mmCIF file of all heavy atoms in Angstrom:
data_model
loop_
_atom_site.group_PDB
_atom_site.id
_atom_site.type_symbol
_atom_site.label_atom_id
_atom_site.label_comp_id
_atom_site.label_asym_id
_atom_site.label_seq_id
_atom_site.Cartn_x
_atom_site.Cartn_y
_atom_site.Cartn_z
ATOM 1 N N VAL A 217 84.992 101.009 110.603
ATOM 2 C CA VAL A 217 84.210 101.794 109.640
ATOM 3 C C VAL A 217 82.999 102.413 110.337
ATOM 4 O O VAL A 217 82.720 103.607 110.187
ATOM 5 C CB VAL A 217 83.756 100.934 108.433
ATOM 6 C CG1 VAL A 217 82.723 101.670 107.599
ATOM 7 C CG2 VAL A 217 84.949 100.543 107.568
ATOM 8 N N ALA A 218 82.283 101.614 111.105
ATOM 9 C CA ALA A 218 81.084 102.110 111.791
ATOM 10 C C ALA A 218 81.428 103.247 112.753
ATOM 11 O O ALA A 218 80.758 104.286 112.763
ATOM 12 C CB ALA A 218 80.397 100.966 112.544
ATOM 13 N N LEU A 219 82.473 103.068 113.536
ATOM 14 C CA LEU A 219 82.838 104.078 114.530
ATOM 15 C C LEU A 219 83.400 105.348 113.893
ATOM 16 O O LEU A 219 83.127 106.453 114.358
ATOM 17 C CB LEU A 219 83.851 103.492 115.511
ATOM 18 C CG LEU A 219 83.266 102.474 116.486
ATOM 19 C CD1 LEU A 219 84.364 101.604 117.078
ATOM 20 C CD2 LEU A 219 82.486 103.187 117.587
ATOM 21 N N LEU A 220 84.190 105.198 112.831
ATOM 22 C CA LEU A 220 84.823 106.366 112.218
ATOM 23 C C LEU A 220 83.869 107.153 111.318
ATOM 24 O O LEU A 220 84.129 108.315 111.015
ATOM 25 C CB LEU A 220 86.066 105.942 111.439
ATOM 26 C CG LEU A 220 87.217 105.418 112.316
ATOM 27 C CD1 LEU A 220 88.319 104.832 111.457
ATOM 28 C CD2 LEU A 220 87.751 106.502 113.227
ATOM 29 N N THR A 221 82.784 106.527 110.890
ATOM 30 C CA THR A 221 81.805 107.257 110.081
ATOM 31 C C THR A 221 80.622 107.754 110.914
ATOM 32 O O THR A 221 79.894 108.644 110.477
ATOM 33 C CB THR A 221 81.281 106.390 108.914
ATOM 34 O OG1 THR A 221 80.722 105.185 109.434
ATOM 35 C CG2 THR A 221 82.389 106.074 107.921
ATOM 36 N N ALA A 222 80.437 107.221 112.103
ATOM 37 C CA ALA A 222 79.320 107.628 112.964
ATOM 38 C C ALA A 222 79.295 109.130 113.271
ATOM 39 O O ALA A 222 78.208 109.721 113.268
ATOM 40 C CB ALA A 222 79.322 106.815 114.257
ATOM 41 N N PRO A 223 80.437 109.779 113.522
ATOM 42 C CA PRO A 223 80.364 111.217 113.820
ATOM 43 C C PRO A 223 79.718 112.050 112.719
ATOM 44 O O PRO A 223 78.991 113.005 113.017
ATOM 45 C CB PRO A 223 81.834 111.616 114.023
ATOM 46 C CG PRO A 223 82.468 110.362 114.536
ATOM 47 C CD PRO A 223 81.789 109.264 113.752
ATOM 48 N N ALA A 224 79.943 111.700 111.472
ATOM 49 C CA ALA A 224 79.308 112.449 110.371
ATOM 50 C C ALA A 224 77.794 112.272 110.421
ATOM 51 O O ALA A 224 77.038 113.229 110.222
ATOM 52 C CB ALA A 224 79.862 111.985 109.030
ATOM 53 N N SER A 225 77.340 111.079 110.705
ATOM 54 C CA SER A 225 75.910 110.826 110.807
ATOM 55 C C SER A 225 75.307 111.569 112.002
ATOM 56 O O SER A 225 74.236 112.184 111.886
ATOM 57 C CB SER A 225 75.661 109.320 110.937
ATOM 58 O OG SER A 225 74.294 109.058 111.081
ATOM 59 N N TRP A 226 75.991 111.508 113.138
ATOM 60 C CA TRP A 226 75.510 112.229 114.320
ATOM 61 C C TRP A 226 75.409 113.719 114.024
ATOM 62 O O TRP A 226 74.421 114.357 114.380
ATOM 63 C CB TRP A 226 76.456 111.996 115.501
ATOM 64 C CG TRP A 226 76.172 110.747 116.259
ATOM 65 C CD1 TRP A 226 76.186 109.477 115.772
ATOM 66 C CD2 TRP A 226 75.809 110.647 117.627
ATOM 67 N NE1 TRP A 226 75.877 108.588 116.755
ATOM 68 C CE2 TRP A 226 75.652 109.284 117.909
ATOM 69 C CE3 TRP A 226 75.643 111.585 118.639
ATOM 70 C CZ2 TRP A 226 75.300 108.837 119.175
ATOM 71 C CZ3 TRP A 226 75.302 111.131 119.895
ATOM 72 C CH2 TRP A 226 75.123 109.764 120.151
ATOM 73 N N HIS A 227 76.441 114.256 113.388
ATOM 74 C CA HIS A 227 76.431 115.681 113.073
ATOM 75 C C HIS A 227 75.259 116.016 112.153
ATOM 76 O O HIS A 227 74.538 116.980 112.363
ATOM 77 C CB HIS A 227 77.755 116.100 112.431
ATOM 78 C CG HIS A 227 77.777 117.535 112.026
ATOM 79 N ND1 HIS A 227 77.615 117.920 110.713
ATOM 80 C CD2 HIS A 227 77.925 118.671 112.749
ATOM 81 C CE1 HIS A 227 77.665 119.237 110.656
ATOM 82 N NE2 HIS A 227 77.850 119.727 111.873
ATOM 83 N N ARG A 228 75.064 115.227 111.131
ATOM 84 C CA ARG A 228 74.002 115.515 110.168
ATOM 85 C C ARG A 228 72.634 115.396 110.818
ATOM 86 O O ARG A 228 71.756 116.235 110.606
ATOM 87 C CB ARG A 228 74.128 114.540 108.977
ATOM 88 C CG ARG A 228 73.266 114.821 107.814
ATOM 89 C CD ARG A 228 73.294 116.213 107.199
ATOM 90 N NE ARG A 228 74.494 116.987 107.361
ATOM 91 C CZ ARG A 228 74.543 118.327 107.439
ATOM 92 N NH1 ARG A 228 73.453 119.055 107.374
ATOM 93 N NH2 ARG A 228 75.677 118.956 107.591
ATOM 94 N N LEU A 229 72.407 114.368 111.636
ATOM 95 C CA LEU A 229 71.092 114.163 112.244
ATOM 96 C C LEU A 229 70.796 115.155 113.364
ATOM 97 O O LEU A 229 69.627 115.460 113.626
ATOM 98 C CB LEU A 229 70.973 112.734 112.767
ATOM 99 C CG LEU A 229 70.922 111.655 111.678
ATOM 100 C CD1 LEU A 229 71.033 110.268 112.294
ATOM 101 C CD2 LEU A 229 69.658 111.785 110.856
ATOM 102 N N LEU A 230 71.839 115.654 114.012
ATOM 103 C CA LEU A 230 71.636 116.580 115.134
ATOM 104 C C LEU A 230 72.014 118.013 114.769
ATOM 105 O O LEU A 230 72.080 118.878 115.649
ATOM 106 C CB LEU A 230 72.445 116.112 116.346
ATOM 107 C CG LEU A 230 72.053 114.723 116.871
ATOM 108 C CD1 LEU A 230 72.987 114.290 117.986
ATOM 109 C CD2 LEU A 230 70.608 114.694 117.325
ATOM 110 N N PHE A 231 72.238 118.249 113.487
ATOM 111 C CA PHE A 231 72.618 119.570 112.988
ATOM 112 C C PHE A 231 71.576 120.605 113.405
ATOM 113 O O PHE A 231 70.378 120.373 113.322
ATOM 114 C CB PHE A 231 72.721 119.482 111.461
ATOM 115 C CG PHE A 231 73.147 120.736 110.780
ATOM 116 C CD1 PHE A 231 74.411 121.256 110.981
ATOM 117 C CD2 PHE A 231 72.291 121.389 109.912
ATOM 118 C CE1 PHE A 231 74.826 122.400 110.331
ATOM 119 C CE2 PHE A 231 72.681 122.540 109.257
ATOM 120 C CZ PHE A 231 73.960 123.049 109.471
ATOM 121 N N ARG A 232 72.036 121.732 113.897
ATOM 122 C CA ARG A 232 71.198 122.862 114.315
ATOM 123 C C ARG A 232 70.220 122.522 115.443
ATOM 124 O O ARG A 232 69.141 123.100 115.539
ATOM 125 C CB ARG A 232 70.445 123.448 113.135
ATOM 126 C CG ARG A 232 71.384 124.099 112.134
ATOM 127 C CD ARG A 232 70.629 124.869 111.117
ATOM 128 N NE ARG A 232 71.589 125.510 110.214
ATOM 129 C CZ ARG A 232 71.279 125.969 109.040
ATOM 130 N NH1 ARG A 232 70.049 125.889 108.588
ATOM 131 N NH2 ARG A 232 72.192 126.531 108.288
ATOM 132 N N GLN A 233 70.603 121.588 116.278
ATOM 133 C CA GLN A 233 69.784 121.258 117.441
ATOM 134 C C GLN A 233 70.385 121.828 118.724
ATOM 135 O O GLN A 233 69.929 121.500 119.816
ATOM 136 C CB GLN A 233 69.639 119.733 117.576
ATOM 137 C CG GLN A 233 68.975 119.059 116.393
ATOM 138 C CD GLN A 233 67.566 119.553 116.172
ATOM 139 O OE1 GLN A 233 66.753 119.574 117.092
ATOM 140 N NE2 GLN A 233 67.275 119.997 114.953
ATOM 141 N N GLY A 234 71.442 122.633 118.590
ATOM 142 C CA GLY A 234 72.095 123.210 119.763
ATOM 143 C C GLY A 234 72.863 122.187 120.571
ATOM 144 O O GLY A 234 73.018 122.351 121.781
ATOM 145 N N MET A 235 73.321 121.123 119.901
ATOM 146 C CA MET A 235 73.996 120.026 120.600
ATOM 147 C C MET A 235 75.444 119.846 120.147
ATOM 148 O O MET A 235 75.992 118.762 120.248
ATOM 149 C CB MET A 235 73.214 118.729 120.371
ATOM 150 C CG MET A 235 71.784 118.780 120.861
ATOM 151 S SD MET A 235 70.903 117.244 120.551
ATOM 152 C CE MET A 235 71.719 116.162 121.687
ATOM 153 N N ARG A 236 76.053 120.919 119.672
ATOM 154 C CA ARG A 236 77.404 120.808 119.110
ATOM 155 C C ARG A 236 78.396 120.209 120.115
ATOM 156 O O ARG A 236 79.189 119.347 119.763
ATOM 157 C CB ARG A 236 77.882 122.165 118.626
ATOM 158 C CG ARG A 236 79.166 122.070 117.833
ATOM 159 C CD ARG A 236 79.567 123.397 117.273
ATOM 160 N NE ARG A 236 78.812 123.650 116.056
ATOM 161 C CZ ARG A 236 78.668 124.843 115.503
ATOM 162 N NH1 ARG A 236 79.206 125.901 116.075
ATOM 163 N NH2 ARG A 236 77.976 124.989 114.406
ATOM 164 N N LYS A 237 78.373 120.640 121.361
ATOM 165 C CA LYS A 237 79.304 120.110 122.364
ATOM 166 C C LYS A 237 79.087 118.614 122.573
ATOM 167 O O LYS A 237 80.047 117.851 122.629
ATOM 168 C CB LYS A 237 79.163 120.849 123.690
ATOM 169 C CG LYS A 237 80.088 120.273 124.763
ATOM 170 C CD LYS A 237 80.413 121.243 125.830
ATOM 171 C CE LYS A 237 81.299 120.702 126.920
ATOM 172 N NZ LYS A 237 82.152 119.595 126.629
ATOM 173 N N GLU A 238 77.831 118.195 122.661
ATOM 174 C CA GLU A 238 77.533 116.775 122.843
ATOM 175 C C GLU A 238 77.981 115.966 121.624
ATOM 176 O O GLU A 238 78.502 114.855 121.765
ATOM 177 C CB GLU A 238 76.031 116.554 123.086
ATOM 178 C CG GLU A 238 75.531 117.125 124.400
ATOM 179 C CD GLU A 238 75.183 118.618 124.352
ATOM 180 O OE1 GLU A 238 75.401 119.275 123.300
ATOM 181 O OE2 GLU A 238 74.712 119.130 125.371
ATOM 182 N N ILE A 239 77.782 116.518 120.451
ATOM 183 C CA ILE A 239 78.216 115.842 119.225
ATOM 184 C C ILE A 239 79.730 115.671 119.242
ATOM 185 O O ILE A 239 80.249 114.590 118.946
ATOM 186 C CB ILE A 239 77.776 116.622 117.965
ATOM 187 C CG1 ILE A 239 76.252 116.599 117.830
ATOM 188 C CG2 ILE A 239 78.438 116.061 116.706
ATOM 189 C CD1 ILE A 239 75.725 117.575 116.790
ATOM 190 N N ILE A 240 80.455 116.727 119.606
ATOM 191 C CA ILE A 240 81.921 116.665 119.634
ATOM 192 C C ILE A 240 82.398 115.664 120.671
ATOM 193 O O ILE A 240 83.295 114.852 120.396
ATOM 194 C CB ILE A 240 82.519 118.063 119.891
ATOM 195 C CG1 ILE A 240 82.263 118.967 118.686
ATOM 196 C CG2 ILE A 240 84.013 117.979 120.181
ATOM 197 C CD1 ILE A 240 82.568 120.421 118.923
ATOM 198 N N ASP A 241 81.814 115.690 121.855
ATOM 199 C CA ASP A 241 82.222 114.753 122.907
ATOM 200 C C ASP A 241 81.991 113.306 122.478
ATOM 201 O O ASP A 241 82.862 112.445 122.644
ATOM 202 C CB ASP A 241 81.465 115.034 124.210
ATOM 203 C CG ASP A 241 81.879 116.350 124.859
ATOM 204 O OD1 ASP A 241 82.935 116.904 124.492
ATOM 205 O OD2 ASP A 241 81.121 116.823 125.744
ATOM 206 N N THR A 242 80.825 113.031 121.911
ATOM 207 C CA THR A 242 80.504 111.679 121.454
ATOM 208 C C THR A 242 81.386 111.287 120.278
ATOM 209 O O THR A 242 81.915 110.163 120.226
ATOM 210 C CB THR A 242 79.012 111.582 121.067
ATOM 211 O OG1 THR A 242 78.230 111.953 122.200
ATOM 212 C CG2 THR A 242 78.645 110.180 120.630
ATOM 213 N N ALA A 243 81.550 112.199 119.327
ATOM 214 C CA ALA A 243 82.378 111.918 118.149
ATOM 215 C C ALA A 243 83.816 111.644 118.541
ATOM 216 O O ALA A 243 84.483 110.797 117.925
ATOM 217 C CB ALA A 243 82.301 113.084 117.171
ATOM 218 N N ASN A 244 84.316 112.330 119.556
ATOM 219 C CA ASN A 244 85.675 112.094 120.017
ATOM 220 C C ASN A 244 85.829 110.661 120.543
ATOM 221 O O ASN A 244 86.807 109.982 120.227
ATOM 222 C CB ASN A 244 86.050 113.106 121.101
ATOM 223 C CG ASN A 244 87.498 113.013 121.478
ATOM 224 O OD1 ASN A 244 88.382 113.126 120.636
ATOM 225 N ND2 ASN A 244 87.748 112.785 122.755
ATOM 226 N N VAL A 245 84.856 110.212 121.316
ATOM 227 C CA VAL A 245 84.891 108.829 121.824
ATOM 228 C C VAL A 245 84.824 107.847 120.649
ATOM 229 O O VAL A 245 85.581 106.864 120.595
ATOM 230 C CB VAL A 245 83.748 108.576 122.827
ATOM 231 C CG1 VAL A 245 83.645 107.104 123.192
ATOM 232 C CG2 VAL A 245 83.944 109.433 124.069
ATOM 233 N N PHE A 246 83.923 108.097 119.704
ATOM 234 C CA PHE A 246 83.825 107.240 118.520
ATOM 235 C C PHE A 246 85.144 107.215 117.753
ATOM 236 O O PHE A 246 85.593 106.157 117.304
ATOM 237 C CB PHE A 246 82.724 107.719 117.576
ATOM 238 C CG PHE A 246 81.322 107.441 118.037
ATOM 239 C CD1 PHE A 246 80.272 108.193 117.541
ATOM 240 C CD2 PHE A 246 81.029 106.441 118.946
ATOM 241 C CE1 PHE A 246 78.967 107.951 117.933
ATOM 242 C CE2 PHE A 246 79.728 106.190 119.354
ATOM 243 C CZ PHE A 246 78.692 106.954 118.845
ATOM 244 N N ALA A 247 85.762 108.374 117.577
ATOM 245 C CA ALA A 247 86.998 108.457 116.805
ATOM 246 C C ALA A 247 88.129 107.676 117.470
ATOM 247 O O ALA A 247 88.839 106.909 116.810
ATOM 248 C CB ALA A 247 87.403 109.916 116.611
ATOM 249 N N ILE A 248 88.293 107.865 118.763
ATOM 250 C CA ILE A 248 89.366 107.144 119.464
ATOM 251 C C ILE A 248 89.108 105.647 119.456
ATOM 252 O O ILE A 248 90.004 104.848 119.162
ATOM 253 C CB ILE A 248 89.520 107.682 120.908
ATOM 254 C CG1 ILE A 248 90.048 109.118 120.868
ATOM 255 C CG2 ILE A 248 90.446 106.778 121.728
ATOM 256 C CD1 ILE A 248 89.987 109.842 122.196
ATOM 257 N N THR A 249 87.871 105.253 119.731
ATOM 258 C CA THR A 249 87.533 103.828 119.713
ATOM 259 C C THR A 249 87.690 103.263 118.301
ATOM 260 O O THR A 249 88.192 102.150 118.123
ATOM 261 C CB THR A 249 86.097 103.612 120.230
ATOM 262 O OG1 THR A 249 85.963 104.261 121.502
ATOM 263 C CG2 THR A 249 85.775 102.138 120.373
ATOM 264 N N GLY A 250 87.284 104.035 117.304
ATOM 265 C CA GLY A 250 87.452 103.610 115.915
ATOM 266 C C GLY A 250 88.906 103.419 115.547
ATOM 267 O O GLY A 250 89.257 102.483 114.822
ATOM 268 N N MET A 251 89.777 104.286 116.051
ATOM 269 C CA MET A 251 91.209 104.131 115.777
ATOM 270 C C MET A 251 91.764 102.876 116.451
ATOM 271 O O MET A 251 92.642 102.216 115.907
ATOM 272 C CB MET A 251 91.977 105.377 116.227
ATOM 273 C CG MET A 251 91.630 106.632 115.433
ATOM 274 S SD MET A 251 91.861 106.471 113.650
ATOM 275 C CE MET A 251 93.640 106.471 113.565
ATOM 276 N N VAL A 252 91.252 102.538 117.635
ATOM 277 C CA VAL A 252 91.660 101.288 118.286
ATOM 278 C C VAL A 252 91.265 100.101 117.401
ATOM 279 O O VAL A 252 92.080 99.208 117.140
ATOM 280 C CB VAL A 252 91.040 101.159 119.699
ATOM 281 C CG1 VAL A 252 91.239 99.757 120.261
ATOM 282 C CG2 VAL A 252 91.611 102.214 120.637
ATOM 283 N N PHE A 253 90.027 100.102 116.929
ATOM 284 C CA PHE A 253 89.574 99.003 116.073
ATOM 285 C C PHE A 253 90.326 98.978 114.744
ATOM 286 O O PHE A 253 90.644 97.913 114.222
ATOM 287 C CB PHE A 253 88.065 99.073 115.840
ATOM 288 C CG PHE A 253 87.277 98.466 116.961
ATOM 289 C CD1 PHE A 253 86.827 99.240 118.018
ATOM 290 C CD2 PHE A 253 86.983 97.106 116.977
ATOM 291 C CE1 PHE A 253 86.113 98.689 119.065
ATOM 292 C CE2 PHE A 253 86.268 96.534 118.017
ATOM 293 C CZ PHE A 253 85.836 97.331 119.074
ATOM 294 N N LEU A 254 90.638 100.151 114.206
ATOM 295 C CA LEU A 254 91.413 100.203 112.966
ATOM 296 C C LEU A 254 92.813 99.649 113.194
ATOM 297 O O LEU A 254 93.320 98.875 112.372
ATOM 298 C CB LEU A 254 91.480 101.633 112.429
ATOM 299 C CG LEU A 254 92.329 101.838 111.171
ATOM 300 C CD1 LEU A 254 91.902 100.922 110.035
ATOM 301 C CD2 LEU A 254 92.276 103.304 110.748
ATOM 302 N N ALA A 255 93.438 100.019 114.303
ATOM 303 C CA ALA A 255 94.767 99.477 114.607
ATOM 304 C C ALA A 255 94.713 97.957 114.730
ATOM 305 O O ALA A 255 95.562 97.249 114.172
ATOM 306 C CB ALA A 255 95.313 100.104 115.891
ATOM 307 N N LEU A 256 93.700 97.448 115.429
ATOM 308 C CA LEU A 256 93.561 95.995 115.567
ATOM 309 C C LEU A 256 93.316 95.326 114.216
ATOM 310 O O LEU A 256 93.856 94.247 113.940
ATOM 311 C CB LEU A 256 92.432 95.663 116.548
ATOM 312 C CG LEU A 256 92.701 96.051 118.008
ATOM 313 C CD1 LEU A 256 91.434 95.860 118.846
ATOM 314 C CD2 LEU A 256 93.860 95.257 118.572
ATOM 315 N N ALA A 257 92.520 95.961 113.361
ATOM 316 C CA ALA A 257 92.286 95.413 112.022
ATOM 317 C C ALA A 257 93.567 95.424 111.192
ATOM 318 O O ALA A 257 93.839 94.479 110.439
ATOM 319 C CB ALA A 257 91.183 96.200 111.312
ATOM 320 N N MET A 258 94.363 96.470 111.321
ATOM 321 C CA MET A 258 95.636 96.523 110.598
ATOM 322 C C MET A 258 96.586 95.443 111.100
ATOM 323 O O MET A 258 97.253 94.777 110.305
ATOM 324 C CB MET A 258 96.277 97.912 110.758
ATOM 325 C CG MET A 258 95.530 99.027 110.080
ATOM 326 S SD MET A 258 95.507 98.875 108.288
ATOM 327 C CE MET A 258 97.219 99.136 107.918
ATOM 328 N N ILE A 259 96.647 95.265 112.402
ATOM 329 C CA ILE A 259 97.494 94.225 112.983
ATOM 330 C C ILE A 259 97.025 92.852 112.501
ATOM 331 O O ILE A 259 97.835 92.009 112.102
ATOM 332 C CB ILE A 259 97.488 94.316 114.524
ATOM 333 C CG1 ILE A 259 98.157 95.619 114.959
ATOM 334 C CG2 ILE A 259 98.158 93.100 115.150
ATOM 335 C CD1 ILE A 259 97.824 96.036 116.387
ATOM 336 N N GLY A 260 95.706 92.637 112.511
ATOM 337 C CA GLY A 260 95.162 91.368 112.008
ATOM 338 C C GLY A 260 95.489 91.150 110.546
ATOM 339 O O GLY A 260 95.806 90.028 110.126
ATOM 340 N N THR A 261 95.440 92.205 109.754
ATOM 341 C CA THR A 261 95.757 92.096 108.329
ATOM 342 C C THR A 261 97.227 91.751 108.132
ATOM 343 O O THR A 261 97.573 90.893 107.306
ATOM 344 C CB THR A 261 95.411 93.409 107.599
ATOM 345 O OG1 THR A 261 94.021 93.675 107.788
ATOM 346 C CG2 THR A 261 95.715 93.313 106.117
ATOM 347 N N VAL A 262 98.101 92.407 108.882
ATOM 348 C CA VAL A 262 99.536 92.112 108.794
ATOM 349 C C VAL A 262 99.789 90.659 109.192
ATOM 350 O O VAL A 262 100.535 89.931 108.524
ATOM 351 C CB VAL A 262 100.353 93.095 109.657
ATOM 352 C CG1 VAL A 262 101.795 92.643 109.803
ATOM 353 C CG2 VAL A 262 100.278 94.500 109.073
ATOM 354 N N LEU A 263 99.152 90.210 110.266
ATOM 355 C CA LEU A 263 99.293 88.822 110.705
ATOM 356 C C LEU A 263 98.745 87.868 109.645
ATOM 357 O O LEU A 263 99.370 86.839 109.332
ATOM 358 C CB LEU A 263 98.587 88.613 112.041
ATOM 359 C CG LEU A 263 98.634 87.201 112.631
ATOM 360 C CD1 LEU A 263 100.071 86.731 112.825
ATOM 361 C CD2 LEU A 263 97.867 87.161 113.953
ATOM 362 N N LEU A 264 97.606 88.202 109.088
ATOM 363 C CA LEU A 264 97.001 87.373 108.046
ATOM 364 C C LEU A 264 97.934 87.237 106.839
ATOM 365 O O LEU A 264 98.161 86.130 106.339
ATOM 366 C CB LEU A 264 95.661 87.992 107.619
ATOM 367 C CG LEU A 264 94.802 87.234 106.637
ATOM 368 C CD1 LEU A 264 94.356 85.904 107.229
ATOM 369 C CD2 LEU A 264 93.580 88.062 106.260
#
């Protein structure tokens, strides 16, 4: 949840600061890492 929602917060806080590329690069890392954690949470839920 933290990783997959962080890009929206980064975008909102850095909006119009001329940092769009940095936001996208960081958000991409957050998104991929968030999907890893989501997959692990889903696997844990299935196991549970």
Side-chain angles (χ1 to χ4, degrees):
V217 168
L219 288 160
L220 293 172
T221 57
S225 178
W226 275 60
H227 177 258
R228 189 53 26 211
L229 291 171
L230 299 175
F231 182 65
R232 293 190 178 162
Q233 299 299 309
M235 301 179 69
R236 190 176 279 162
K237 178 156 179 24
E238 293 84 356
I239 293 168
I240 292 169
D241 291 344
T242 302
N244 187 56
V245 171
F246 286 158
I248 292 169
T249 308
M251 294 304 288
V252 169
F253 277 92
L254 177 55
L256 292 172
M258 292 295 293
I259 294 161
T261 301
V262 169
L263 179 58
L264 185 63

